[in-house]
Amino acid sequence: MSIAKTYNPKEAEEKWYSYWMEQGFFRSTPDEREPYTIVMPPPNVTGVLHMGHMLNNTIQDVLIRRARMQGKNACWVPGTDHASIATEAKVVAMLKEKGIEKSSITREEFLTYAWEWKEKYGGIILKQLEKLGASCDWDRTKFTMDPDLSEAVIDTFIKFYKEGYIYRGIRMVNWDPQGKTALSDEEVIRKEVNQKLYYIRYKIKDSDEHVIIATTRPETIMADSAICINPLDERYKHLQGKTVLVPLINREIPIIQDEYVEMEFGTGCLKVTPAHDLNDYELGQKHNLEVIDILNDDGSLNEKAQILIGEDRFAARKKIAVLLGEAGQIEKIEDYKSQVGFSERTNAAIEPKLSMQWFLKMDTLAKPALEYVEDGTIKLIPEKFFASYKHWMENVKDWCISRQLWWGQRIPAWFNDKNEWVVAKTESEAVADFEQQGKSTAGIRQEDDVLDTWFSSGLWPMSVFDGVRNPENPDFQYYYPTNDLVTAPEILFFWVARMIIMGHDYTQKPPFRNVYLTGIVRDKLGRKMSKSLGNSPDPIELMEQYGTDGVRVGMLLSSPAGNDLMFDVSYCEQGRNFANKIWNAFRLVKGWETTEAPATDAQKMSAEWFENRFNQAVAEIDEHFANYRLSDALMATYKLIWDDFCSWYLELVKPAYQTPIEKETLETVKGLFQKVLKLAHPFMPFLTEELWHDELFGRDENDCIIVADFPTVQPYDEKCIKEFTIVQQIISEVRNIRNSKGISPKVALPLAINATNIDYSKYQDSIIKLANIEELTFVKEKVSGAVSFLAGKDECYVALENNIDVDAEKERIGKEIEYLKGFLTSVDKKLSNERFVQNAKPEIVENEKNKKADAEAKIQILEESLASLG
């Protein structure tokens, strides 16, 4: 049966993914094999596939496919995250479109809408991952609000509470006015913002004097509780004990003293607004100042502001500035840049806000999680992220785990009508706790707040195997700890650290062994890809255009761990070209007719060389995988197949036009072809499976490459590889001579070699064939009038006779000598530098000496060639 002229990715992708699913190749159950486990970082149910997901999940699929081929029991658990803030925002927006306000319906009604939304849209991204070829165990798909996972979350809250790690209190928190919820510090993104710095006059009571305060937030002056000066500041000593009037509202506030104020910053006077700044709050506590919160949960001004009630905070800022100007209380306004916190989820500017919240004490819990990384039990790849991880863990703050939302796991705390509370799993347990304490159970109600999404996803590696509720179950005992986690550096603290904390607390074990941190996918201008910038291609469209294998290769060609990927669609084109190269090589081999004649010596030599080169490449690729250099592993595979297999080996054994190939040689080619397909499979699953099943290989349909044995490291002959590298040099140099002289490839040329330590007899036929040599001779002396070059340490001569333009050749050689002399000068400078020779590694110094010797030998040959031309 003939093979199609061009590869049809879409057809192969649909066919083989369905087949793999039908055959259960992705499924995993505990057995006697070594487990290899990955848990997918659960994408938000609100999400669709973007370039970051493409990169992250391609890497995971490469790792899981290779492990599967290595005979391990590969288990990749997929799932989605309920994403409290993002999902609630989506549902609220959907309800608004229907004319329904969240405030007008009950919690139960809202959750009914939310679950309907989740069922309709929540699985989109997982279906898209199938298109990518993700070989997940889909039977194990989990959702962070599945009943069993939610129960694990509630059990964990109760456990931490009983152990004294969870407490409730009024604290200054990061408030998201758009999401109307508190956020942890890690959910706040700091950005530099262009602002205005307003210099405002505060009149001193019973005086014509005033003090000037500089602030970027004039809309909060109505919440001021004091003006603070440094007690050592001579400028303001006369103001001690006096009071000032807050502009516009004339409320009297004291002037206090504290060394916290920097005399050199601004005017040296500080307005103290305890309700709207963390540092001001602490200062207010110290001096027993009134706390006046003038903002509603949505960021609008409330009645305590006295003016502009109901106005949004940013609109109020502009209007306050106008009012202050009209009242003559603005000294000046300057442009100013400062860092402002924004919500990681809604991008709303954060408000510091005093709020009653639930917190998890982190100092004790964080210590083992730091030790795991410090002692190498858990490896961060690349290691450059260890410093920031260490800094965060050593300076960790208590985690605000409550969120003022309805979508999520509801905190298992219960209140009576006196606002007394207990922590219990169910209302009946709460009633029993109240009664045991002799407290009223009247008006019992559950806490409205839900837990932070990261609290539930922190349990992910355990909860997907039901390890929290049932730690003795076979799945958890077999698959946990997992092996590799592939995720983004920006959630190293949101998620990774918290999984380590919770995993250790429950099991005294780390949840994984390696954390592979991917970079950010950027465009060729260096900008992060995003919908808002319009610079992010649709991954599905890319796969339609270039084939899934092409896009996978394109993503991985330029994605070293932890370094940002400067993505360009040309990489996908390169990936598609690679797929086509393999396809065309297969078509070439399949088109050969055979003869029963035995393989020639040249064909045997070629196979021997490629077998050794293949085993060398497998060792390189294994080392790259061991060090999580997936981009390098792919590139080594790419070069082996494109260069060594297609461009050299197949050309070496290819029969002359319309001439059959020896059957023995074809069988060897088929065997080697299958080996390179195995190496390529983790990167290019669809193309390799398609070719694997071609009739040329004559295998049963159940014999699939997805479960074939991955090549293992075998001994290889370095001498054979080195010798053939010199043969390749000879062939390439002869081709270059043809190109530079404009000689047709069809014109056979004579070649003479002054062989020093290589027996070229077994390579003779290959050189003659690929370099189109008329006569190959071996000499002991220089050949006058010939173009010469070095291959290794052997001098080679090509007599061109009438095929050369002498003047042009002299000019070319002269330029090459000039270049080599310049290169030699730079090497000599290095070697004459004592500091370089003493401090550089011995192998680096030796390498420079070899460069010097090679350059000197080439210059000598070129000068002799120049002299021979007259």
Side-chain angles (χ1 to χ4, degrees):
M1 187 175 82
S2 63
I3 187 170
K5 186 176 180 181
T6 56
Y7 173 50
N8 184 338
K10 186 177 175 69
E11 186 180 292
E13 288 158 17
E14 291 174 354
K15 173 172 66 177
W16 291 114
Y17 200 85
S18 298
Y19 186 77
W20 293 329
M21 290 281 284
E22 289 166 7
Q23 297 300 311
F25 287 132
F26 304 163
R27 284 201 294 270
S28 174
T29 52
D31 59 25
E32 71 286 348
R33 291 176 294 168
E34 175 190 347
Y36 176 82
T37 317
I38 293 179
V39 292
M40 178 186 292
N44 292 350
V45 286
T46 58
V48 294
L49 197 64
H50 58 60
M51 297 302 285
H53 293 134
M54 280 287 289
L55 174 62
N56 183 288
N57 286 283
T58 296
I59 290 168
Q60 290 176 83
D61 195 49
V62 168
L63 293 172
I64 210 80
R65 285 180 182 274
R66 179 170 175 267
R68 189 181 289 120
M69 294 176 76
Q70 289 176 317
K72 297 174 184 175
N73 191 344
C75 180
W76 182 11
V77 181
T80 50
D81 189 278
H82 64 276
S84 292
I85 298 174
T87 306
E88 183 141 332
K90 291 272 189 185
V91 177
V92 168
M94 177 197 73
L95 290 173
K96 277 189 176 178
E97 288 178 6
K98 295 181 177 182
I100 303 170
E101 290 293 327
K102 178 187 171 186
S103 57
S104 70
I105 59 176
T106 65
R107 184 186 196 113
E108 288 68 29
E109 288 170 331
F110 178 84
L111 290 175
T112 300
Y113 284 117
W115 279 107
E116 286 175 358
W117 189 94
K118 183 265 176 185
E119 292 307 315
K120 185 174 181 180
Y121 299 105
I124 290 174
I125 194 165
L126 296 184
K127 294 303 291 183
Q128 291 177 321
L129 286 175
E130 292 182 13
K131 171 72 176 166
L132 179 64
S135 56
C136 306
D137 185 346
W138 296 109
D139 292 343
R140 292 183 177 273
T141 302
K142 292 293 182 181
F143 174 52
T144 50
M145 277 178 60
D146 283 341
D148 53 335
L149 273 70
S150 285
E151 185 178 4
V153 171
I154 300 306
D155 288 347
T156 301
F157 182 96
I158 294 170
K159 172 182 180 291
F160 278 142
Y161 177 75
K162 288 179 177 177
E163 291 171 350
Y165 289 118
I166 286 177
Y167 64 92
R168 183 173 180 258
I170 295 176
R171 300 287 186 277
M172 184 71 77
V173 297
N174 305 299
W175 186 261
D176 177 348
Q178 186 172 324
K180 295 181 186 175
T181 181
L183 302 176
S184 66
D185 290 343
E186 291 71 47
E187 290 170 291
V188 178
I189 310 298
R190 310 293 304 181
K191 300 179 189 177
E192 190 172 79
V193 175
N194 292 319
Q195 298 194 90
K196 298 289 184 185
L197 188 60
Y198 300 85
Y199 288 80
I200 305 173
R201 297 189 187 104
Y202 284 64
K203 186 178 184 304
I204 297 170
K205 189 182 178 187
D206 300 328
S207 166
D208 292 332
E209 195 180 353
H210 60 261
V211 291
I212 298 172
I213 311 295
T215 180
T216 59
R217 304 199 61 194
E219 73 278 9
T220 65
I221 64 172
M222 294 84 75
D224 291 349
S225 294
I227 297 297
C228 190
I229 56 176
N230 191 301
L232 302 177
D233 196 330
E234 295 293 336
R235 295 172 296 174
Y236 301 119
K237 277 200 170 181
H238 66 289
L239 299 179
Q240 293 177 13
K242 295 191 175 183
T243 60
V244 299
L245 300 176
V246 176
L248 302 180
I249 62 172
N250 293 322
R251 180 163 48 79
E252 189 176 346
I253 58 174
I255 294 176
I256 62 171
Q257 300 176 72
D258 199 287
E259 291 180 356
Y260 169 76
V261 178
E262 296 178 23
M263 291 185 285
E264 299 77 20
F265 183 77
T267 65
C269 289
L270 176 76
K271 80 185 198 72
V272 186
T273 318
H276 299 292
D277 183 273
L278 178 58
N279 295 320
D280 287 10
Y281 175 72
E282 291 174 356
L283 199 58
Q285 293 289 97
K286 180 178 178 183
H287 293 273
N288 198 29
L289 297 176
E290 184 181 6
V291 178
I292 307 166
D293 185 349
I294 64 166
L295 292 178
N296 295 312
D297 287 350
D298 64 358
S300 61
L301 273 60
N302 62 31
E303 65 281 352
K304 291 181 183 177
Q306 299 183 41
I307 57 174
L308 301 178
I309 297 167
E311 291 280 356
D312 175 76
R313 55 191 167 147
F314 295 119
R317 179 177 302 176
K318 293 178 181 178
K319 291 182 179 181
I320 287 280
V322 172
L323 292 173
L324 288 168
E326 291 172 347
Q329 291 174 304
I330 289 279
E331 178 78 13
K332 62 179 177 177
I333 301 174
E334 294 178 345
D335 290 330
Y336 185 71
K337 282 187 177 180
S338 66
Q339 293 279 323
V340 175
F342 289 84
S343 168
E344 187 259 345
R345 290 295 185 202
T346 66
N347 203 37
I350 291 300
E351 282 292 342
K353 183 178 177 65
L354 279 173
S355 181
M356 178 68 79
Q357 302 287 342
W358 295 87
F359 295 87
L360 178 67
K361 294 178 184 176
M362 294 289 280
D363 50 358
T364 304
L365 290 171
K367 286 175 183 174
L370 175 57
E371 289 169 5
Y372 278 138
V373 179
E374 281 183 322
D375 66 18
T377 303
I378 295 175
K379 292 179 182 174
L380 300 184
I381 302 153
E383 292 179 353
K384 69 179 184 180
F385 291 106
F386 172 68
S388 58
Y389 179 85
K390 185 174 190 290
H391 176 78
W392 187 83
M393 297 302 275
E394 287 180 338
N395 297 278
V396 69
K397 296 178 182 177
D398 288 356
W399 174 13
C400 176
I401 55 175
S402 46
R403 297 292 178 268
Q404 288 63 57
L405 303 165
W406 283 348
W407 177 248
Q409 283 95 4
R410 196 169 178 181
I411 289 175
W414 305 79
F415 297 82
N416 61 18
D417 55 5
K418 295 179 181 178
N419 220 32
E420 297 167 321
W421 52 273
V422 295
V423 168
K425 193 168 185 176
T426 63
E427 184 175 333
S428 59
E429 289 180 15
V431 167
D433 283 357
F434 275 130
E435 289 175 345
Q436 188 177 359
Q437 296 176 37
K439 294 177 180 177
S440 168
T441 59
I444 191 167
R445 58 184 172 81
Q446 188 175 353
E447 166 70 87
D448 286 325
D449 293 355
V450 298
L451 281 159
D452 178 12
T453 299
W454 298 106
F455 191 92
S456 58
S457 57
L459 298 170
W460 187 246
M462 295 183 289
S463 59
V464 295
F465 298 115
D466 202 17
V468 175
R469 300 187 314 155
N470 183 14
E472 299 304 318
N473 82 79
D475 274 12
F476 188 62
Q477 291 291 316
Y478 181 73
Y479 292 114
Y480 188 91
T482 65
N483 295 74
D484 298 324
L485 178 74
V486 182
T487 191
E490 57 261 34
I491 55 174
L492 183 57
F493 312 119
F494 282 133
W495 188 45
V496 178
R498 287 161 177 168
M499 284 191 288
I500 300 172
I501 286 168
M502 291 186 170
H504 173 79
D505 187 73
Y506 264 107
T507 69
Q508 305 300 298
K509 295 177 184 176
F512 29 70
R513 299 184 179 93
N514 304 290
V515 181
Y516 180 106
L517 297 159
T518 64
I520 296 169
V521 184
R522 300 185 181 276
D523 64 17
K524 55 187 176 183
L525 299 177
R527 301 173 303 174
K528 183 177 179 179
M529 285 190 166
S530 68
K531 288 181 182 177
S532 59
L533 283 177
N535 64 343
S536 181
D538 182 339
I540 300 297
E541 290 179 6
L542 281 180
M543 289 187 280
E544 292 286 345
Q545 185 174 357
Y546 296 101
T548 297
D549 289 330
V551 177
R552 287 168 64 113
V553 168
M555 294 291 292
L556 290 176
L557 277 173
S558 55
S559 58
N563 291 327
D564 292 352
L565 184 160
M566 299 302 179
F567 182 79
D568 189 273
V569 291
S570 61
Y571 290 123
C572 296
E573 190 172 350
Q574 186 179 355
R576 180 182 63 188
N577 292 345
F578 185 39
N580 289 338
K581 181 76 172 179
I582 298 172
W583 184 265
N584 290 333
F586 186 84
R587 286 183 65 238
L588 172 71
V589 172
K590 188 168 182 181
W592 290 341
E593 299 292 333
T594 58
T595 175
E596 293 296 329
T600 65
D601 289 343
Q603 289 168 337
K604 289 178 182 176
M605 178 282 300
S606 302
E608 179 191 353
W609 160 72
F610 184 75
E611 189 83 51
N612 280 295
R613 176 68 193 100
F614 177 85
N615 289 332
Q616 182 188 48
V618 170
E620 293 169 6
I621 291 163
D622 261 26
E623 185 184 358
H624 289 319
F625 270 111
N627 291 287
Y628 294 85
R629 298 190 296 260
L630 269 68
S631 183
D632 294 335
L634 170 59
M635 185 51 72
T637 306
Y638 183 99
K639 288 179 177 177
L640 175 76
I641 296 173
W642 190 298
D643 297 338
D644 298 314
F645 186 70
C646 296
S647 299
W648 285 101
Y649 176 64
L650 291 185
E651 290 299 312
L652 283 164
V653 300
K654 182 171 72 175
Y657 181 62
Q658 291 189 335
T659 302
I661 191 171
E662 292 76 5
K663 188 173 183 182
E664 181 185 350
T665 296
L666 179 60
E667 290 304 313
T668 302
V669 170
K670 285 160 59 177
L672 294 173
F673 212 135
Q674 290 172 88
K675 283 188 172 185
V676 298
L677 288 177
K678 287 180 183 181
L679 267 188
H681 176 76
F683 304 106
M684 309 176 78
F686 297 109
L687 171 72
T688 51
E689 193 74 84
E690 178 74 9
L691 294 178
W692 187 258
H693 288 271
D694 189 89
E695 62 181 0
L696 179 69
F697 295 135
R699 59 171 40 86
D700 182 87
E701 68 171 9
N702 293 322
D703 179 4
C704 295
I705 197 170
I706 188 175
V707 287
D709 294 336
F710 194 78
T712 55
V713 176
Q714 302 294 329
Y716 56 89
D717 184 346
E718 287 192 36
K719 181 172 178 284
C720 171
I721 295 170
K722 286 179 180 176
E723 285 187 356
F724 193 77
T725 300
I726 293 170
V727 170
Q728 289 173 303
Q729 276 184 269
I730 293 170
I731 294 166
S732 296
E733 286 289 348
V734 173
R735 288 173 173 173
N736 289 340
I737 289 168
R738 270 202 182 83
N739 290 337
S740 64
K741 308 295 182 290
I743 301 170
S744 169
K746 295 179 180 178
V747 175
L749 298 173
L751 173 67
I753 303 175
N754 184 354
T756 55
N757 59 359
I758 294 180
D759 177 8
Y760 285 97
S761 59
K762 61 180 177 179
Y763 304 113
Q764 186 165 336
D765 290 346
S766 297
I767 294 171
I768 290 170
K769 177 181 180 180
L770 293 192
N772 191 12
I773 299 303
E774 173 184 67
E775 181 185 13
L776 176 58
T777 56
F778 297 94
V779 296
K780 294 296 180 185
E781 301 195 5
K782 299 184 186 303
V783 178
S784 61
V787 175
S788 60
F789 60 86
L790 269 184
K793 295 182 179 178
D794 295 343
E795 198 165 353
C796 305
Y797 308 91
V798 179
L800 297 176
E801 299 175 350
N802 299 327
N803 291 315
I804 185 171
D805 179 332
V806 175
D807 291 337
E809 183 62 10
K810 283 182 177 179
E811 185 181 352
R812 184 192 69 80
I813 293 174
K815 286 180 179 177
E816 195 168 345
I817 291 172
E818 186 180 348
Y819 166 77
L820 285 168
K821 284 183 175 178
F823 175 76
L824 190 58
T825 301
S826 69
V827 175
D828 279 335
K829 277 183 182 177
K830 272 189 183 179
L831 292 173
S832 61
N833 184 330
E834 288 185 15
R835 286 182 64 189
F836 169 76
V837 174
Q838 289 172 1
N839 297 327
K841 292 181 180 178
E843 57 267 29
I844 292 175
V845 176
E846 188 61 32
N847 189 39
E848 292 299 318
K849 289 179 179 178
N850 290 336
K851 287 180 184 178
K852 175 180 168 74
D854 287 346
E856 288 172 339
K858 286 178 181 177
I859 289 170
Q860 183 182 347
I861 290 170
L862 288 167
E863 287 176 339
E864 289 169 356
S865 294
L866 195 59
S868 71
L869 291 172

